[in-house]
Amino acid sequence: MLILLSPAKNMNFDETERALPATTPALIDETRILSTTTRGLSTSKIKTLMKISSDLARLNRDRFRAFDPDQPGSKAAALAFAGEVYRGLDAGTLSDDDLAYAQDHLRILSGMYGALRPLDTIQPYRLEMGRKLHTRRGESLYDFWGDKIARHLNQLLADDADPVVLNLASNEYFKSVDRKTLKARVITASFKEEKDGQTRMLMVFAKKARGMMARWAIENRISDPADLVKFNAGGYAYDEAGSSETDLLFTRPQPASPGAKAKVEA
């Protein structure tokens, strides 16, 4: 079984004390082609493309200009991405054995790199998959990556008797996996909070839960999709009534937000 996650907009390239093996992204040749386009983007184009401030646009212009696919990255992908998903995954506290397992069973989808292993070293960038970016292959990153990500996943799953993808990525990123090309069953997990008899998805909690489920599947070496219903990290429990064979729902009582907690305690 292969687990898919989205990347994060925010990145942290502070040095870590832990020495980890470093690997090169598998689709780096495609990244090299894409970087010829991103290197030429102006500050104004980046600001419009990403809908970000002028300061952030200048930062990312400088990042694109400095980006060199022929040089090794400076930090492992699973540690460089910062955000709720990666707080849930907390890759820095996984054991060496768990990280080795994750190398074979976890992929992070990426607008710049296509698909990353946790220990693939990367350079700073920001390039969301859903943005409209003209390249020689079309008008979007979906056009640029085409069926390449799906074919790469097929290679990873080629030896599995029953290939399965556990989709913990956002819709924006999972759309980069061409479903007509992918030769695997896809199981998607979603996470909702219960309050006053109602369930709803709160994105900040759902993102963290995706990371927590990825970590749980890694630590428990989940290979049989039937075992996914046992996920219980963070207080979540399988909701059979809201699930199907391909879409698994997990719910929990909604925790108080940090702001609400602070208000009550004050």
Side-chain angles (χ1 to χ4, degrees), residues 1-252:
M1 185 167 64
L2 196 62
I3 306 163
L4 299 184
L5 287 177
S6 302
K9 294 178 184 177
N10 295 328
M11 307 186 85
N12 180 348
F13 279 86
D14 293 344
E15 290 186 15
T16 57
E17 294 182 1
R18 184 177 180 185
L20 294 171
T23 51
T24 300
L27 301 178
I28 195 66
D29 288 342
E30 301 301 322
T31 301
R32 184 176 293 106
I33 295 169
L34 181 57
S35 68
T36 62
T37 295
T38 57
R39 190 176 297 118
L41 294 175
S42 66
T43 301
S44 59
K45 176 64 175 178
I46 293 171
K47 182 178 179 180
T48 301
L49 177 72
M50 300 186 184
K51 298 179 174 60
I52 54 179
S53 69
S54 296
D55 287 345
L56 281 175
R58 282 191 290 272
L59 170 64
N60 284 285
R61 176 204 62 192
D62 293 344
R63 284 176 168 178
F64 283 139
R65 289 180 179 178
F67 191 97
D68 185 351
D70 294 316
Q71 295 296 319
S74 55
K75 195 170 184 179
L79 302 183
F81 291 120
E84 293 303 321
V85 171
Y86 294 89
R87 290 188 182 93
L89 179 63
D90 197 11
T93 63
L94 287 171
S95 70
D96 289 347
D97 286 345
D98 287 339
L99 283 172
Y101 182 85
Q103 277 287 92
D104 293 332
H105 296 276
L106 174 65
R107 291 297 179 271
I108 301 167
L109 302 175
S110 164
M112 194 71 180
Y113 288 98
L116 291 162
R117 290 171 292 184
L119 298 179
D120 284 346
T121 56
I122 61 174
Q123 299 175 43
Y125 79 95
R126 178 170 173 173
L127 191 62
E128 288 106 13
M129 187 68 81
R131 298 301 182 190
K132 297 291 185 180
L133 178 65
H134 174 76
T135 70
R136 68 183 73 174
R137 296 175 183 171
E139 299 303 316
S140 71
L141 287 171
Y142 298 124
D143 292 333
F144 176 82
W145 287 107
D147 65 356
K148 290 179 174 56
I149 295 174
R151 288 195 285 112
H152 174 61
L153 301 184
N154 285 341
Q155 291 175 352
L156 299 176
L157 292 163
D159 293 333
D160 289 11
D162 180 20
V164 174
V165 166
L166 172 57
N167 174 30
L168 296 173
S170 65
N171 291 334
E172 174 188 358
Y173 278 89
F174 191 62
K175 280 175 62 178
S176 68
V177 180
D178 185 71
R179 293 294 299 274
K180 293 181 180 179
T181 302
L182 185 65
K183 298 177 181 179
R185 287 194 293 139
V186 176
I187 297 175
T188 300
S190 59
F191 307 88
K192 293 184 178 181
E193 316 300 315
E194 297 177 345
K195 186 176 181 180
D196 301 327
Q198 302 292 320
T199 61
R200 58 176 179 163
M201 181 181 290
L202 298 179
M203 195 50 64
V204 66
F205 293 136
K207 286 181 177 180
K208 187 172 184 179
R210 291 168 184 167
M212 289 192 296
M213 187 171 205
R215 182 187 180 99
W216 172 84
I218 291 165
E219 290 182 320
N220 290 281
R221 306 293 192 266
I222 302 298
S223 59
D224 185 347
D227 289 334
L228 293 172
V229 300
K230 299 175 184 177
F231 173 70
N232 60 359
Y236 286 97
Y238 175 61
D239 185 324
E240 184 176 4
S243 300
S244 68
E245 288 186 3
T246 57
D247 294 275
L248 306 181
L249 174 62
F250 298 85
T251 60
R252 69 174 179 181

